[in-house]
Amino acid sequence: MTRSDANTLGTEGLHIAVLDLDGTTTAELPAEGRPGAEAYRLTARAGGVYLFVGVRGTGVPPAGRVPDVSLDPGAICFYDANHPPLLDLPERCRLKVFLVTREELGLEDGDIRRVAAAPVARTSRLGTLLSPFLSELADTAVSAEPLVGELLARNAVNLLATLVAEQLGRTATGTPGGRSPLVARILRFIDEHLADADLSPETIAGAHHISVRYLHRLFQDEGTTVGRWIQRRRLEECRRDLVLGVRNRRTIASVAGRWGFLSATHFSRVFRAAYGMSPSEWRDTAGRRTTDGRNGPGARPHGR
């Protein structure tokens, strides 16, 4: 079956393709690999619209062969873009394909087989809601102005991440505060590398296979910037270390250096701006309270 690309949209973290199938040769899904000898088969007997979500950036192949799957029109089917399935579809039908990274969906390698083996039927609870919406979104996104298309693509990613979480029996985002799985992963990465003075938007984006521009947009949605978030977390760790430093006799410079501040002067300036007192004043307050037998200070950042 030959395929005619009706429209495509490529944006940060997501690629959408709307494909009209018409012919007699074998159809193939957009993928980063080729079907292997152990590829499973997706079969449909009725014409119509089918929604596919290709998961990019996967590692090892799924553990064990995914069972063959029978599809009905309107079904939402996930597949591993590195290890795609074989297709057996009617000669005339329309495919709407979302290629999205594993990180964006909050998927581990071991999750791929589970979601691939369980398409979301058009008649299911979530399918009734999401199938027509995603279908219309795909058509609109690929034909809209670039900015509108990008915003629609972002909504598509969030919907697909929610659908994955539901399929895997997780909470809507799998994280506190309603954050997307990708943002939660990035925040954990930052916490694990706070002591690295070279921690930067470039290193964070590279570690998560996204662009720096897209990383900044994610933090904009959080109401902050990458740099401000890193600085805030470093200050919080320094504040705790200064309390402990009363007993351990750590210098202010050593505490600042431990958490990635290269300049003690700069550290003192941003600490005062955040907490309304200098690091030495904070440490002295902690010392007095420790001497009095009380806990260290619990002041909040200045202005909060």
Side-chain angles (χ1 to χ4, degrees):
M1 185 176 298
T2 59
R3 82 183 189 194
S4 169
D5 287 24
N7 269 305
T8 61
L9 167 71
T11 186
E12 301 293 347
L14 176 68
H15 181 88
I16 300 175
V18 179
L19 312 173
D20 289 309
L21 301 187
D22 183 10
T24 57
T25 59
T26 302
E28 292 183 357
L29 288 167
E32 298 175 336
R34 307 291 291 182
E38 298 299 317
Y40 63 103
R41 186 176 294 274
L42 300 178
T43 303
R45 292 290 173 252
V49 173
Y50 294 85
L51 301 171
F52 294 95
V53 184
V55 182
R56 310 176 69 173
T58 58
V60 297
R65 183 179 181 277
V66 176
D68 292 343
V69 177
S70 178
L71 301 176
D72 292 316
I76 306 171
C77 184
F78 290 82
Y79 70 95
D80 185 341
N82 285 91
H83 309 281
L86 297 170
L87 293 185
D88 182 2
L89 300 178
E91 289 189 4
R92 296 182 182 274
C93 60
R94 176 168 262 208
L95 311 185
K96 299 180 180 180
V97 185
F98 301 81
L99 284 175
V100 61
T101 64
R102 176 174 60 84
E103 290 80 11
E104 286 276 10
L105 296 179
L107 284 169
E108 302 295 337
D109 283 333
D111 297 329
I112 303 298
R113 186 177 188 278
R114 292 175 59 191
V115 296
V120 180
R122 171 67 175 81
T123 55
S124 67
R125 179 176 61 87
L126 277 178
T128 300
L129 173 67
L130 293 183
S131 178
F133 185 79
L134 286 170
S135 180
E136 182 66 26
L137 187 149
D139 287 332
T140 304
V142 297
S143 60
E145 294 295 323
L147 179 58
V148 175
E150 193 168 322
L151 292 173
L152 290 172
R154 182 73 247 153
N155 288 330
V157 170
N158 289 335
L159 285 173
L160 292 171
T162 301
L163 183 58
V164 162
E166 175 79 9
Q167 288 292 89
L168 296 174
R170 297 172 181 166
T171 60
T173 61
T175 59
R179 292 190 176 109
S180 72
L182 176 60
V183 171
R185 195 184 304 272
I186 289 171
L187 297 185
R188 287 196 298 271
F189 178 88
I190 290 174
D191 276 354
E192 292 167 0
H193 295 82
L194 279 177
D196 184 355
D198 294 327
L199 184 65
S200 67
E202 289 74 18
T203 58
I204 296 168
H208 293 86
H209 312 291
I210 60 176
S211 70
V212 173
R213 178 169 171 263
Y214 184 47
L215 176 69
H216 285 309
R217 187 179 304 120
L218 290 175
F219 275 80
Q220 183 178 357
D221 293 342
E222 292 288 311
T224 186
T225 67
V226 182
R228 287 174 185 165
W229 184 275
I230 293 172
Q231 179 173 284
R232 190 185 89 180
R233 287 293 298 118
R234 282 174 168 165
L235 286 172
E236 289 171 349
E237 296 300 331
C238 288
R239 183 180 62 176
R240 279 190 278 270
D241 267 14
L242 285 170
V243 174
L244 296 174
V246 172
R247 303 185 185 92
N248 300 336
R249 297 185 179 181
R250 292 176 183 159
T251 66
I252 291 173
S254 68
V255 169
R258 181 186 181 195
W259 292 107
F261 288 100
L262 298 178
S263 165
T265 301
H266 170 69
F267 166 65
S268 295
R269 184 169 64 252
V270 296
F271 190 98
R272 180 183 288 277
Y275 300 112
M277 64 178 71
S278 69
S280 59
E281 289 170 336
W282 176 271
R283 185 181 57 186
D284 291 345
T285 303
R288 287 196 299 271
R289 294 199 174 197
T290 301
T291 301
D292 292 342
R294 290 177 288 173
N295 293 330
R300 296 173 180 267
H302 189 57
R304 295 189 181 185

